[in-house]
Amino acid sequence: MVEDIVGCKWSLAVLDRVRRGVRRPGAIEASLHGLSTKVMNERLRKLVRYGILARTAYPEVPPRVEYTLTAYGGRFARVLDEIAALDADTGAPARRGSRPAPEVEGRRTIVRRARRPAAGR
């Protein structure tokens, strides 16, 4: 379970947003540029399945859904905080090929790929 959550940048980013008080799916998606609705819903379902988040659906029109951190999710988040503090204490540079989590709001990540030469040229 830990590898499944920690190894996914979007799971960590979604968990971070819920910890900061962003509870509605639309607000989570709006605060994380580059996150698609499909991926966000997959990550939310995964975090609920592992017991880290709780999903509350309100019987309203239009329907309203909110996500909150469970007690277990709070413990899990504290472990992640300790790992981040340990990493900061070591002062080690980021590993080659690692990507930073999408923490900065308002910034879009652009991935540029090298063009392949055309066949026969």
Side-chain angles (χ1 to χ4, degrees):
M1 182 225 24
V2 174
E3 184 178 349
D4 195 23
I5 302 291
V6 175
C8 174
K9 71 176 184 176
W10 291 121
S11 292
L12 292 175
V14 167
L15 179 59
D16 181 60
R17 289 305 187 268
V18 173
R19 288 179 69 192
R20 292 181 188 198
V22 182
R23 303 194 188 295
R24 307 275 308 269
I28 293 169
E29 184 179 2
S31 70
L32 292 170
H33 299 287
L35 175 64
S36 69
T37 304
K38 176 184 178 256
V39 171
M40 179 195 62
N41 287 328
E42 289 172 354
R43 299 311 175 255
L44 286 168
R45 278 194 296 269
K46 177 171 60 174
L47 292 168
V48 168
R49 187 174 62 244
Y50 286 137
I52 295 171
L53 296 181
R55 180 182 188 271
T56 306
Y58 296 93
E60 300 173 353
V61 176
R64 178 171 55 116
V65 174
E66 292 184 351
Y67 291 89
T68 55
L69 206 58
T70 63
Y72 176 73
R75 290 177 51 208
F76 186 77
R78 284 192 297 278
V79 169
L80 293 177
D81 291 341
E82 288 298 319
I83 292 171
L86 182 64
D87 190 42
D89 288 346
T90 62
R95 290 188 328 229
R96 185 175 181 192
S98 64
R99 293 174 282 179
E103 292 296 322
V104 180
E105 293 183 30
R107 187 181 91 187
R108 292 182 181 243
T109 304
I110 300 173
V111 177
R112 295 200 168 116
R113 295 188 176 126
R115 288 186 167 173
R116 291 184 182 182
R121 290 187 182 177

